[in-house]
Amino acid sequence: MSSIPSEQVSPGKASLFYDPKIRGYVYQAALVAIVVFLIWSAASNAIENLRAQKIASGFGFWHNAAGFDINQKLIPFSASGGSTYGDAFIVGLLNTLLVAGLGIVLATFLGFFIGVARLSNNWVISKLAMIYVEVIRNIPLLLQLFFWYNAVLKPLPNPRQSIELPAGALLNNRGLYLPDPQLGPGGSLIVWAFLIGLVATFVFRHWARKQQAATGRQYPIGWVALALIVVLPLLVYFVTGRPVSFIYPELAGFNLRGGIQIFPEFVALLIGLTTYTAGFIAEVVRAGILAVSKGQTEAAHALGLRNGPTLKLVVIPQAMRVIIPPLTSNYLNLTKNSSLAVAIGYPDLVQVFTGTVLNQTGQAVEVVAITMAVYLTISLVTSLFMNIYNKRMALVER
Amino acid sequence: MTDATTENAPYAFVRRETLQQEPAPLSVAGPLAWIRTNLFSSPLNAILTLLCVWLVVDTVPGMVRFYFLDAVWTGTNRDACLADKIGRPVGACWAYVADRTQYFIYGSYPVAERWRVNIVFVMFALGVVWLLWNRAPLKKVGVFFFFVIMPASAFILLLGGDRAESFLRFLILVTFALAVLYLVLSFVPSLMTFWIGEGQLAVEEAMPAWQRFYRPKRLILMALVIFGILALLADRVGLPRVDTGLWGGMTVTFLISAVGIVFSLPLGVLLALGRRSKLPAIQLLSVIFIEFVRGVPLITVLFMANTMLPLFVPQEWSPDRLLRPLIGVALFAAAYMAEVVRGGLQAMPKGQYEGAMSLGLGYWQMMRLIILPQALRIVIPGIVNTFIGLFKDTTLVTIVGIFDFLRTIEATLIDPTWATPTTRSTGYAFAAIFYFLCCWGMSRYSIAVEKRLAAGQKR
């Protein structure tokens, strides 16, 4: 090395081969060329294969009539009523959003409860919470879904021997039947009262907070909320002469008629997703609370705050900063995991669209691309919103 | 000053008279004190404790009775597990699990050929222990074994037949050629002047011949020995082809996980490097791939692999039905692995990069010798956690029709030979225990590594 005479090394004249900039361009050009080639050859192969198998391409199938029925639907859908594959897509999408939305709410409550329980001073509670988390997190979700669906809900008695639950609800192997509330004349007033109560609560809370900030006086927000949201509609209910009647499910032949039927597939999926994700959320919550230094709690106690206000005003607001990012990814995981519905036959987007529609039309490329686009959109939109929220919650430093 | 506050201020907080002596505190040690502080510290806590105890008392004895006391342990068909046949209440039917163990492990793999699966299991276990056990020697050889030799041998052993044997011949040829090349080079090092330069050549020439290229020689020697044994097996015992449709059970579960880890880790490292690269095209492509895969559920990736992959290649190359989900799982895991590795790369202090560059190392040398060894070490827990997720996700291949472990359980539940009321709960319990032990073991390992890594930072 040292034997190289110094006049040979002239910094400006290094060969192009060793110029990092040029090399960078070459590498990128090569990579882009490979990717373009892969995409091009895949596309040309696909076109040829599709032609050989006589499968149509394009999105024309969207408006074709779908020759199948779906049991759980939030919008009208029937094969005989001329519903299209596009309608099937919307039914599936709504079912996915329904189970994901409910699952997120329930899993959050359960997860927070278990996460706090794991940190409890109470030995029995913290150990039980630990066992729950360890067991739930280390068993595949699919197995848990099979368990809930095949081992818990399927062996329930048939409709003739339905289990009677309180308030006229019935439980059997075809699902959970709830009484169907019917609003009589003046019944809509109750709904309005409830909505007004909800709005009034928010207004009052806002006002009370402002008052507290200005004068230091505290108002009983909880009691007022209870009065506005629960007592007000009840009052209207009695004043208008109890205009709500129920249609109870009753036996007709081998099946039940009337009432709201909640399908066992939905129940199994909801229970499975909720309990599974709650195990993960519990760990997130625990980590978040542990991340708040003990000095914060001690300082709050030194100021004379009791345990409850300390948790509510000091610990949780700081823990939320740590909790929110992983909580978001758990919400997204739950949404993506709802696609396991296909294994137990809940008509979600994947089961309806990537399952039935794909089998009927054979248009794999279009169907899978649409499905993936939906999940991708949900993921990106959620992370966008969470990033905004996260920015608002983030520590403001100098 | 003190006088001013205590005597004159209207709102003095300092107490002026001594308090009554408080009674001695209740005992703070011993079992009674423990129960008081940990179980009954407040009325609410007492109620919760009693509620939990009631919950445990209500469920645990029933489960113990079902899975142990009333369980049936031996038998050859469903009659052993029917309550009216044996005249007592019947709990779990473990006889069914015992009877079907072979099927759960090997699926429909031909009985006469199962020794091949066993060899692969042993190699897999060896590779895992070699890599994960902290004090195992020759780590680099272990890496080569796990990422190159084991996958190749597993392919040859599990599949067998003409294709595997020609692949084996090719491998032997390559390793043999490399061995000869290294042998020649170690005796006549001057052949390499154009390749390694004058300075390095002088260093090499100063060494005795047997010590030159010591490291590569170890790898080649190992490859030669293992492939030689395989060739011997193929020659003496014969490795007839076993169609992938016959593979099943834990074999397939472990196969998918192994393929997932073996391919996703290197791919994930490349993607992570790409995402942190300064070259915009490479960065963009990596980000698109990673975010796309992480944004969609694994099932859609599997459906895509299952239905679209055959369309994307010429028909005569149409991938095997087992190969399709393997590709899907490997790509899926790679995106998650990339994010874990990226975390490690970001955790490296800038001084490490600058130090490496100031030594004159190029990009790949810097990554290979300085950055990646440190970055990968700190993300071992993350890698293991990703792998736990991957292991659980292998169950999803059930949905695209692959006979993994969970699918074999489901299959035996339909089989009338063991159709009893308690078969299903037994099968699910067995599956749950299997997955729990695997995942829990891995998570214990990752916690242990985390502790070991944190030991250096502890004060």
Side-chain angles (χ1 to χ4, degrees):
Chain A
M1 284 297 191
S2 56
S3 63
I4 302 170
S6 58
E7 61 259 31
Q8 277 189 8
V9 182
S10 50
K13 286 189 183 169
S15 107
L16 281 181
F17 187 70
Y18 290 114
D19 186 343
K21 239 184 178 169
I22 304 283
R23 276 191 164 197
Y25 286 130
V26 173
Y27 288 147
Q28 296 186 68
L31 185 72
V32 170
I34 292 173
V35 170
V36 167
F37 171 75
L38 282 179
I39 292 176
W40 174 79
S41 63
S44 60
N45 279 326
I47 290 169
E48 193 164 310
N49 286 334
L50 287 175
R51 196 179 297 145
Q53 294 171 23
K54 295 197 169 61
I55 295 174
S57 60
F59 295 92
F61 71 94
W62 192 261
H63 299 293
N64 293 354
F68 61 95
D69 268 320
I70 302 175
N71 60 4
Q72 181 183 320
K73 53 215 165 195
L74 296 178
I75 58 165
F77 182 91
S78 72
S80 49
S83 293
T84 62
Y85 288 128
D87 296 330
F89 169 80
I90 292 172
V91 170
L93 178 61
L94 288 177
N95 282 342
T96 290
L97 292 179
L98 177 72
V99 79
L102 275 176
I104 283 173
V105 173
L106 295 177
T108 307
F109 280 114
L110 189 61
F112 266 76
F113 175 74
I114 291 167
V116 172
R118 251 199 105 169
L119 292 170
S120 160
N121 291 328
N122 190 320
W123 185 84
V124 181
I125 292 177
S126 69
K127 284 294 165 235
L128 276 184
M130 188 192 82
I131 291 173
Y132 175 88
V133 169
E134 290 290 334
V135 168
I136 287 283
R137 289 190 348 144
N138 284 316
I139 294 176
L141 175 58
L142 189 64
L143 178 58
Q144 297 189 29
L145 288 180
F146 280 160
F147 168 77
W148 289 114
Y149 185 61
N150 290 330
V152 175
L153 295 180
K154 268 302 172 69
L156 286 174
N158 62 31
R160 282 175 167 275
Q161 280 105 33
S162 295
I163 301 168
E164 288 184 26
L165 298 177
L170 295 174
L171 185 65
N172 58 46
N173 60 8
R174 296 204 187 156
L176 177 67
Y177 290 77
L178 299 177
D180 190 2
Q182 301 288 316
L183 293 182
S188 57
L189 280 178
I190 302 171
V191 180
W192 280 111
F194 175 75
L195 289 178
I196 289 170
L198 218 56
V199 173
T201 307
F202 273 102
V203 172
F204 177 75
R205 206 184 78 172
H206 186 71
W207 176 81
R209 289 231 171 128
K210 260 194 170 162
Q211 283 292 305
Q212 192 187 350
T215 65
R217 239 194 105 196
Q218 292 186 346
Y219 293 88
I221 297 175
W223 290 111
V224 174
L226 186 76
L228 285 173
I229 297 176
V230 179
V231 180
L232 186 67
L234 270 182
L235 223 63
V236 175
Y237 172 67
F238 284 110
V239 168
T240 50
R242 296 194 280 176
V244 180
S245 61
F246 289 96
I247 295 180
Y248 289 96
E250 44 190 55
L251 204 62
F254 288 107
N255 212 342
L256 292 175
R257 205 173 48 197
I260 302 170
Q261 184 186 10
I262 300 176
F263 291 91
E265 295 83 15
F266 176 77
V267 177
L269 186 64
L270 187 61
I271 296 178
L273 285 176
T274 302
T275 49
Y276 184 75
T277 314
F280 288 84
I281 291 180
E283 283 299 270
V284 168
V285 169
R286 187 175 77 112
I289 292 179
L290 284 179
V292 179
S293 83
K294 203 152 192 280
Q296 298 284 336
T297 316
E298 289 167 349
H301 282 166
L303 285 175
L305 294 182
R306 286 161 194 275
N307 273 328
T310 303
L311 207 62
K312 195 177 129 200
L313 300 171
V314 177
V315 177
I316 296 224
Q318 299 187 67
M320 282 317 272
R321 288 201 192 99
V322 185
I323 290 174
I324 285 170
L327 191 64
T328 320
S329 73
N330 273 312
Y331 288 167
L332 286 180
N333 281 345
L334 187 145
T335 311
K336 286 186 277 173
N337 282 338
S338 72
S339 58
L340 291 187
V342 67
I344 56 172
Y346 172 71
D348 84 321
L349 180 64
V350 170
Q351 204 262 350
V352 171
F353 209 59
T354 340
T356 317
V357 174
L358 194 154
N359 282 341
Q360 290 199 354
T361 62
Q363 292 190 272
V365 179
E366 292 87 350
V367 167
V368 173
I370 291 174
T371 316
M372 284 184 152
V374 168
Y375 284 103
L376 210 55
T377 313
I378 295 175
S379 290
L380 293 180
V381 169
T382 314
S383 37
L384 185 74
F385 275 113
M386 277 296 169
N387 281 344
I388 294 172
Y389 183 65
N390 212 11
K391 226 166 244 166
R392 271 181 50 192
M393 291 292 285
L395 207 59
V396 182
E397 285 180 320
R398 277 165 293 150
Chain B
M1 280 307 277
T2 29
D3 281 358
T5 44
T6 50
E7 304 294 329
N8 306 335
Y11 43 77
F13 284 114
V14 180
R15 192 178 286 284
R16 290 179 190 169
E17 57 285 326
T18 25
L19 273 178
Q20 283 285 308
Q21 223 171 32
E22 295 234 354
L26 295 160
S27 66
V28 288
L32 264 180
W34 185 89
I35 288 176
R36 192 164 46 237
T37 50
N38 287 309
L39 302 182
F40 298 99
S41 58
S42 69
L44 179 70
N45 251 337
I47 294 171
L48 288 176
T49 304
L50 292 178
L51 210 71
C52 290
V53 169
W54 174 78
L55 196 75
V56 170
V57 169
D58 193 51
T59 53
V60 171
M63 282 179 71
V64 170
R65 172 175 291 279
F66 184 83
Y67 282 111
F68 297 101
L69 301 182
D70 284 349
V72 176
W73 300 89
T74 52
T76 50
N77 59 24
R78 65 194 291 260
D79 289 346
C81 293
L82 287 175
D84 45 347
K85 287 263 162 58
I86 61 169
R88 68 170 173 92
V90 168
C93 184
W94 293 113
Y96 138 79
V97 173
D99 187 50
R100 287 306 163 99
T101 311
Q102 294 281 316
Y103 181 62
F104 291 151
I105 297 176
Y106 303 104
S108 311
Y109 208 88
V111 179
E113 304 296 329
R114 285 182 182 169
W115 57 271
R116 285 152 59 174
V117 184
N118 290 338
I119 294 181
V120 174
F121 275 146
V122 170
M123 287 179 88
F124 181 63
L126 186 72
V128 167
V129 171
W130 202 339
L131 285 190
L132 295 189
W133 186 34
N134 198 24
R135 272 174 292 178
L138 304 176
K139 273 276 152 85
K140 281 188 181 162
V141 185
V143 169
F144 182 70
F145 175 79
F146 192 79
F147 286 95
V148 179
I149 296 199
M150 190 199 65
S153 332
F155 171 75
I156 294 160
L157 277 172
L158 289 178
L159 190 66
D162 289 341
R163 254 168 83 187
E165 275 178 33
S166 56
F167 179 59
L168 178 61
R169 273 195 292 277
F170 168 74
L171 284 178
I172 289 180
L173 208 69
V174 168
T175 38
F176 201 72
L178 276 176
V180 171
L181 182 70
Y182 273 112
L183 206 66
V184 171
L185 287 181
S186 36
F187 283 105
V188 200
S190 48
L191 284 176
M192 301 184 301
T193 22
F194 70 95
W195 176 248
I196 55 172
E198 308 263 332
Q200 183 66 28
L201 188 64
V203 177
E204 294 289 346
E205 276 181 331
M207 276 193 264
W210 65 271
Q211 221 177 28
R212 272 176 220 143
F213 317 115
Y214 173 55
R215 277 164 193 250
K217 258 194 286 189
R218 275 193 308 202
L219 303 184
I220 288 178
L221 197 66
M222 181 171 67
L224 262 188
V225 168
I226 291 179
F227 293 144
I229 293 174
L230 287 185
L232 209 67
L233 279 175
D235 195 40
R236 288 289 160 81
V237 195
L239 299 175
R241 186 184 158 89
V242 179
D243 218 49
T244 54
L246 297 174
W247 304 13
M250 293 178 194
T251 313
V252 164
T253 293
F254 284 124
L255 176 79
I256 297 167
S257 340
V259 167
I261 192 88
V262 165
F263 287 94
S264 73
L265 199 54
L267 211 57
V269 169
L270 284 182
L271 281 169
L273 291 177
R275 192 167 183 168
R276 306 237 323 140
S277 162
K278 289 199 179 68
L279 307 174
I282 292 179
Q283 195 194 14
L284 186 70
L285 286 174
S286 308
V287 170
I288 289 177
F289 178 83
I290 293 172
E291 292 304 325
F292 173 76
V293 172
R294 278 161 42 92
V296 297
L298 176 57
I299 290 203
T300 56
V301 175
L302 290 177
F303 270 120
M304 182 171 157
N306 215 23
T307 56
M308 281 161 78
L309 216 52
L311 290 177
F312 286 160
V313 294
Q315 262 186 348
E316 60 273 16
W317 289 7
S318 185
D320 182 85
R321 281 199 67 87
L322 181 64
L323 183 62
R324 298 175 198 171
L326 286 182
I327 294 172
V329 166
L331 292 181
F332 188 78
Y336 283 81
M337 214 53 104
E339 286 300 274
V340 173
V341 175
R342 184 167 73 111
L345 291 177
Q346 277 173 344
M348 281 293 102
K350 209 156 190 276
Q352 295 289 334
Y353 291 89
E354 290 164 351
M357 282 188 266
S358 69
L359 284 176
L361 298 182
Y363 178 82
W364 290 108
Q365 281 176 314
M366 169 172 81
M367 286 302 165
R368 193 167 55 88
L369 300 171
I370 310 287
I371 304 297
L372 281 178
Q374 301 182 70
L376 287 181
R377 192 167 303 146
I378 56 174
V379 292
I380 289 177
I383 292 175
V384 176
N385 286 341
T386 312
F387 187 58
I388 294 175
L390 172 68
F391 188 74
K392 287 190 290 177
D393 281 345
T394 58
T395 50
L396 301 201
V397 298
T398 301
I399 294 168
V400 288
I402 303 298
F403 267 79
D404 78 322
F405 174 55
L406 190 57
R407 182 75 180 268
T408 55
I409 297 250
E410 283 284 310
T412 53
L413 293 179
I414 306 168
D415 178 12
T417 325
W418 283 103
T420 75
T422 61
T423 309
R424 190 173 286 277
S425 1
T426 315
Y428 284 167
F430 180 61
I433 292 168
F434 168 76
Y435 284 110
F436 179 82
L437 286 182
C438 291
C439 296
W440 192 73
M442 285 189 273
S443 77
R444 289 296 102 173
Y445 174 80
S446 113
I447 290 171
V449 172
E450 222 164 315
K451 274 201 183 130
R452 202 179 68 220
L453 292 173
Q457 329 272 298
K458 222 177 230 168
R459 274 165 293 168

